[in-house]
Every structure is written in C-alpha cells, then in structure tokens.
Amino acid sequence: MRVYVGTDAAGLRALLAGEPVPGERVVAPSEDEQDEFDALETAADDGPVVVTAEVASEDAPVTLEVVEALHVDSDGSGDLAWYATQELETVLSLLP
C-alpha cells in the first residue's frame, strides 16, 4: 500500500535517525494516476516535503527502509521536485 506523509525538516531528521516519520498519512482511493497525484498534493498541505512509502498496512511505520521517494517544495512555489532516498541529506540542506 502506498502512503504519502507531509512533513518538514524535523520529520526528515527522524527518518535519518532510524525513527518513523511523524505526520498524517494520505492514501489514494485507487491506483489511478490522478488519484495518486491528488493524494500527493493533499499530503503536501502538511509540509514542504512529502514522503512516499510502500507499507504493508495503512498504520505500519514509515521508516527509511520503506520510503520510495521524497517530493520537495524547496522554494515555496508549490511545485514538488522528486528526490531519491539517497538524497535525504541534500533535501535537508534545502529546507529552513
């Protein structure tokens, strides 16, 4: 199951420390591309970063091991740029 979690720098630091990212999860009602995009946009309301993860169940912890990508609004424009999990420290450097 894919979940989207809006977060900030503190949430990303939690991921780096091996902890689950805190925040409300958004799940798309289907695997339709538009539904997935809408879920991503909804999660973006909760922070400048959206963590996208594949979890076993909706309440499973979102740790770095299950994160697939980071979507970042680094300039406040609302446009989300895609980053790989290996770029987590780079993403942190973009955030206040």
Side-chain angles (χ1 to χ4, degrees), residues 32-93:
D32 177 78
E33 187 174 320
Q34 186 62 51
D35 286 342
E36 295 282 349
F37 179 76
D38 291 344
L40 174 70
E41 290 287 306
T42 298
D45 291 341
D46 292 331
V49 179
V50 176
V51 174
T52 303
E54 283 290 331
V55 294
S57 65
E58 192 172 338
D59 59 347
V62 176
T63 58
L64 191 54
E65 294 78 24
V66 296
V67 173
E68 292 189 328
L70 306 166
H71 303 272
V72 184
D73 178 6
S74 61
D75 62 5
S77 68
D79 293 328
L80 298 172
W82 182 94
Y83 288 86
T85 57
Q86 297 87 344
E87 299 174 287
L88 182 54
E89 290 187 28
T90 300
V91 170
L92 273 167
S93 73

